Amino acid sequence: MPSVATKDHPGLEIDAPLRFQHRTWVVQRIGWGVFALLIVAALAGLFGSGPLSTRTAGSPADLQVTYERFARLHAPTTFEIRADGRLTRDDTLTIALSGDAVRGLELTSTMPPPDSTSVVQDGVLLRFRTDSRPGEITVVLHTKPQKSGSLTSRVTIAGGPAHRISQWIYP
């Protein structure tokens, strides 16, 4: 190991592995950068609620679904479904949920509550009376993921459009 004499103390020799110290500083700076990126990603919503996580499928003209793309296992998450009032049949809006929305999510509550619910071969049908209300109809589904990993669901309005929803559920 090379010895270093300081300017203030020319006779003082200190064993200093300078190459090792320099590598340690470089690794520390890289670690700081990685942690800073993780903090920014978390604040932006990569690990939960935030602008990177909030997604909207569809268009306001017919069916629009707003949901959290990233969620946590057993943590509450919501789906906000907005449908054009013209998609109703006999004053009833029927929303069909299929795919992992049925197998991987627990539906904890619905606002407003559905007038009827039925299980079909590939999903669940939620029926809401609209009483000839014109304009937009909003339904909020409160769910809790029961399975971690990738979930792919479909939200469909009977006789109308369908949209695919993709979520990543962290353990």
Side-chain angles (χ1 to χ4, degrees):
M1 280 190 236
S3 295
V4 177
T6 64
K7 184 178 177 183
D8 295 334
H9 303 285
L12 181 63
E13 293 186 9
I14 302 172
D15 290 331
L18 294 178
R19 243 186 304 169
F20 176 76
Q21 184 66 42
H22 184 265
R23 279 185 282 186
T24 302
W25 288 339
V26 169
V27 170
Q28 283 179 344
R29 298 312 183 274
I30 291 171
W32 292 351
V34 168
F35 281 124
L37 288 174
L38 284 173
I39 290 169
V40 168
L43 291 173
L46 187 61
F47 304 116
S49 299
L52 285 179
S53 183
T54 302
R55 286 284 181 236
T56 301
S59 70
D62 49 22
L63 172 65
Q64 186 174 35
V65 183
T66 303
Y67 63 99
E68 294 294 326
R69 186 170 67 160
F70 302 108
R72 297 227 173 253
L73 186 65
H74 303 298
T77 185
T78 61
F79 290 85
E80 185 175 297
I81 302 169
R82 295 177 183 203
D84 190 312
R86 294 174 291 191
L87 295 174
T88 61
R89 306 258 169 141
D90 301 323
D91 293 334
T92 301
L93 177 69
T94 303
I95 299 174
L97 303 174
S98 59
D100 289 327
V102 178
R103 294 183 296 274
L105 297 173
E106 174 189 345
L107 184 61
T108 57
S109 68
T110 306
M111 291 305 291
D115 292 305
S116 68
T117 304
S118 56
V119 178
V120 293
Q121 181 179 0
D122 59 341
V124 175
L125 297 178
L126 305 170
R127 291 182 188 86
F128 301 89
R129 297 278 307 150
T130 59
D131 299 325
S132 301
R133 285 184 297 191
E136 184 178 89
I137 300 163
T138 301
V139 175
V140 179
L141 306 177
H142 298 276
T143 65
K144 281 188 181 179
Q146 300 300 309
K147 173 177 128 177
S148 60
S150 178
L151 298 182
T152 303
S153 309
R154 287 182 65 83
V155 177
T156 308
I157 298 295
H163 295 294
R164 186 173 154 257
I165 307 299
S166 295
Q167 290 182 295
W168 179 259
I169 309 301
Y170 291 105

